[in-house]
Amino acid sequence: MTSGEVFGAADAFTTGSPQLYMCGIFFSCSGDTEVTPSAKVLNCLNRRGPDHIKRLSAQSSLRSLSFISSVLSLRGEVLTSQPLQDPSTGSILCWNGEAWSIDGDAVKGNDAVAVFNLLLQAIYPDVSAAASSRPDSPAVNEAIANALQRVRGPYAFVFYTPANGKIFYGRDVLGRRSLLMSDGEDGDFMISSVCNGISSGNWSEVDANGIHVLDLSNESPAPSRTCIPWPEFNRLYLAASSITPQLLPDQSAPPLGLNSPAVDNLFIGFRHSMALRATSIPTPPSDHTAPAKLAILFSGGLDCSLLARIVHDLLPLTEDVDLLNVAFENPRVLKAANANNTSPTSGYLQCPDRITGLSSHAELQQVCPGRTWRFVSIDVPYTETMGHRPQITNLIYPHNTEMDLSIACALYFAARGKGTVEHHASNEAEPYSTPARVLLSGLGADEIFAGYTRHATAFARRSYQGLSDELDLDFHRLGKRNLGRDDRVISHWGREVRYPYLDEDFLHWALKLPVWEK
């Protein structure tokens, strides 16, 4: 038996003009009393998807179940509210992600509906008998795994099948969307896109190594949990570990040139990945006459500069692109500037990412003329950084190191998108907030193509084998170290981040490259 309610809904959705927001998921399994998220967690869920938020309640044996989804619509002509529920079987889906394709075919319309239908058809091949059938549990596990194996794109999900009393949940094979879990008191179990920081209990990230199953069919206080390993996980991660000493060159590897096959294949594969993520983006709500649909997290490095260069080939010249560049105030630099009677803003200009960002922006304007490349200077005073620090700390939890906080701060303020742009006529800085709801990130390029200083160090110490080992380590920890944390921080501002370097097909090709071609 299920019941539902809509609460905290945001502004009305305009038919025919899909809004671009992130989604949030919350699920709880408890005893007699239904467990719901705290006010702070509910607020964070709503910020991820402010178009619509809804809760469904259900009973399974002696347990109370709660499903909450905050919704965006990136696909289709009308808003599709979540959680989705099938009236004949009672199955429920909470979906947060982008299904770019199923079986290699592009998904048309709403991707959550497409995935829900895929899962239902996997469990109930005979639709006419679905309401009365009780599919075999091992068969259901295999069917769900095989169905999701056919989906390409980032996602996190919770899927309930009341016929056999199971909750399936998990993240895509790379872990590109956040999903946390917590074991509460008295056997309570919770899953959420976000939590309330260290004060809210024993939260950990759901491992991306497979599909997790919560079995509610028994009446024990704590339902059993198992994991169905991803076949795709093995395919990708074995490719990352495929370099053996026998494959390494005895001497210097042949040099790469512009006409090398590896370079040609990289361009073809990466352009396809970019086309999926940078085109067909609906116009966001904005007061601007021609608002930017797309923004790039832009430090000026090679990874994000390449994103911008390929975007120029894909989008009409009439579409502006915002380049979001963050610089933080350093109190010591500010003190020195005041002592020397120089402008306090000069401290931001001395930040390494601002220097490389301005340089790459100037080159983009020369190489890719005819487009408005809007360089957004996001200057963050020290007091503002400290003021937002508690919120950022809560968002990144269970990550809690200074390195996590440092990276998250940059992403947090970049995703907020509030800064200044230089007016061409007067050269004066004017306040500006990007209306773009889709952000491109260069994450993954350094881990795949040896862009960090430690990769050069590994090569200097142990040649190609040392470099291969270091790249293998980087790739294996990418999902646990970066992606869930970054998703929680960026989506707090109602924006979606996309990772062209982490497209499954492109990644599989890149990981199989000989290490000397990376």
Side-chain angles (χ1 to χ4, degrees):
M1 182 178 66
T2 61
S3 61
E5 64 176 312
V6 177
F7 56 98
D11 295 339
F13 179 84
T14 304
T15 301
S17 179
Q19 307 288 307
L20 289 168
Y21 298 99
M22 280 300 302
C23 291
I25 291 173
F26 178 88
F27 164 77
S28 69
C29 173
S30 56
D32 295 335
T33 304
E34 183 178 354
V35 173
T36 57
S38 68
K40 288 185 178 180
V41 170
L42 188 61
N43 178 62
C44 287
L45 293 172
N46 211 356
R47 291 182 67 98
R48 294 175 65 93
D51 270 351
H52 187 84
I53 189 167
K54 185 175 76 173
R55 180 177 71 203
L56 290 178
S57 301
Q59 289 292 133
S60 177
S61 185
L62 301 178
R63 299 181 179 91
S64 298
L65 309 179
S66 180
F67 302 83
I68 297 177
S69 286
S70 60
V71 179
L72 73 90
S73 181
L74 294 173
R75 306 289 179 87
E77 295 299 318
V78 296
L79 172 68
T80 301
S81 68
Q82 288 195 47
L84 297 173
Q85 185 172 26
D86 179 53
S88 62
T89 66
S91 301
I92 295 174
L93 175 67
C94 299
W95 173 261
N96 170 29
E98 282 277 21
W100 298 115
S101 65
I102 297 176
D103 291 331
D105 297 324
V107 174
K108 304 297 183 183
N110 185 278
D111 60 331
V113 173
V115 171
F116 194 32
N117 289 335
L118 179 72
L119 296 174
L120 291 175
Q121 290 166 8
I123 302 176
Y124 306 105
D126 184 359
V127 177
S128 62
S132 59
S133 62
R134 295 182 62 86
D136 176 67
S137 290
V140 167
N141 290 359
E142 183 178 358
I144 294 296
N146 290 338
L148 289 171
Q149 179 72 18
R150 299 157 59 189
V151 177
R152 288 287 184 271
Y155 59 82
F157 75 98
V158 174
F159 178 56
Y160 172 47
T161 59
N164 57 12
K166 288 191 175 183
I167 301 288
F168 297 88
Y169 61 98
R171 306 155 72 193
D172 69 83
V173 65
L174 295 170
R176 288 166 289 185
R177 290 291 179 262
S178 171
L179 199 64
L180 305 172
M181 64 180 186
S182 174
D183 290 297
E185 298 178 358
D186 302 323
D188 295 346
F189 179 69
M190 291 179 288
I191 299 170
S192 182
S193 300
V194 292
C195 68
N196 191 26
I198 195 168
S199 63
S200 60
N202 182 29
W203 289 92
S204 61
E205 289 200 288
V206 173
D207 204 320
N209 65 342
I211 301 169
H212 301 266
V213 185
L214 184 71
D215 191 346
L216 308 177
S217 60
N218 61 74
E219 298 184 1
S220 62
S224 63
R225 298 206 295 265
T226 56
C227 179
I228 310 168
W230 284 118
E232 177 72 8
F233 184 90
N234 294 331
R235 186 174 81 101
L236 281 173
Y237 283 76
L238 285 176
S241 307
S242 62
I243 299 299
T244 65
Q246 289 75 22
L247 297 175
L248 300 176
D250 296 330
Q251 300 176 351
S252 297
L256 289 174
L258 292 178
N259 296 322
S260 299
V263 175
D264 290 338
N265 290 332
L266 184 146
F267 176 77
I268 293 170
F270 192 62
R271 181 185 172 91
H272 176 73
S273 172
M274 286 287 293
L276 285 174
R277 291 159 175 82
T279 61
S280 301
I281 300 174
T283 302
S286 173
D287 295 332
H288 298 276
T289 304
K293 302 176 183 179
L294 181 70
I296 300 174
L297 301 176
F298 195 76
S299 65
L302 180 60
D303 53 0
C304 58
S305 297
L306 181 58
L307 295 179
R309 179 62 187 85
I310 303 298
V311 159
H312 185 66
D313 291 339
L314 294 171
L315 298 184
L317 291 177
T318 53
E319 292 194 17
D320 299 352
V321 177
D322 288 349
L323 308 175
L324 308 179
N325 182 274
V326 179
F328 290 93
E329 180 184 77
N330 187 319
R332 289 173 293 182
V333 174
L334 179 62
K335 183 178 180 180
N338 290 333
N340 296 326
N341 294 319
T342 57
S343 170
T345 59
S346 64
Y348 297 116
L349 295 176
Q350 296 176 39
C351 293
D353 282 0
R354 181 58 50 82
I355 294 171
T356 56
L358 289 171
S359 175
S360 296
H361 176 234
E363 185 173 354
L364 267 178
Q365 291 177 308
Q366 292 179 354
V367 175
C368 305
R371 182 185 307 281
T372 298
W373 297 101
R374 189 178 291 106
F375 189 88
V376 185
S377 298
I378 301 172
D379 299 337
V380 186
Y382 180 74
T383 54
E384 190 169 15
T385 301
M386 299 308 294
H388 285 261
R389 183 181 174 113
Q391 176 66 70
I392 300 171
T393 301
N394 282 341
L395 287 171
I396 68 174
Y397 187 81
H399 295 271
N400 57 8
T401 69
E402 284 299 319
M403 179 64 74
D404 288 316
L405 185 60
S406 176
I407 295 171
C409 280
L411 293 174
Y412 178 87
F413 288 106
R416 187 175 66 167
K418 182 180 178 182
T420 60
V421 297
E422 188 175 288
H423 194 276
H424 296 295
S426 63
N427 291 328
E428 293 291 330
E430 297 181 343
Y432 177 81
S433 294
T434 182
R437 302 296 187 183
V438 174
L439 310 182
L440 294 184
S441 167
L443 181 68
D446 289 324
E447 289 81 0
I448 300 167
F449 297 107
Y452 292 124
T453 302
R454 64 175 177 270
H455 295 136
T457 302
F459 180 77
R461 290 175 176 173
R462 297 178 53 229
S463 190
Y464 288 109
Q465 186 61 59
L467 176 57
S468 176
D469 292 343
E470 192 70 24
L471 287 170
D472 182 60
L473 178 64
D474 274 346
F475 180 72
H476 279 75
R477 63 190 179 190
L478 186 60
K480 291 184 178 180
R481 174 179 282 189
N482 299 83
L483 293 168
R485 174 200 67 198
D486 296 354
D487 176 68
R488 291 190 292 277
V489 170
I490 292 172
S491 61
H492 184 71
W493 296 106
R495 309 187 200 271
E496 180 186 70
V497 61
R498 297 178 179 178
Y499 303 104
Y501 291 102
L502 298 181
D503 176 85
E504 290 96 330
D505 294 328
F506 176 74
L507 192 57
H508 186 244
W509 168 82
L511 292 175
K512 292 173 64 177
L513 274 178
V515 67
W516 55 91
E517 291 188 347
K518 296 185 180 183

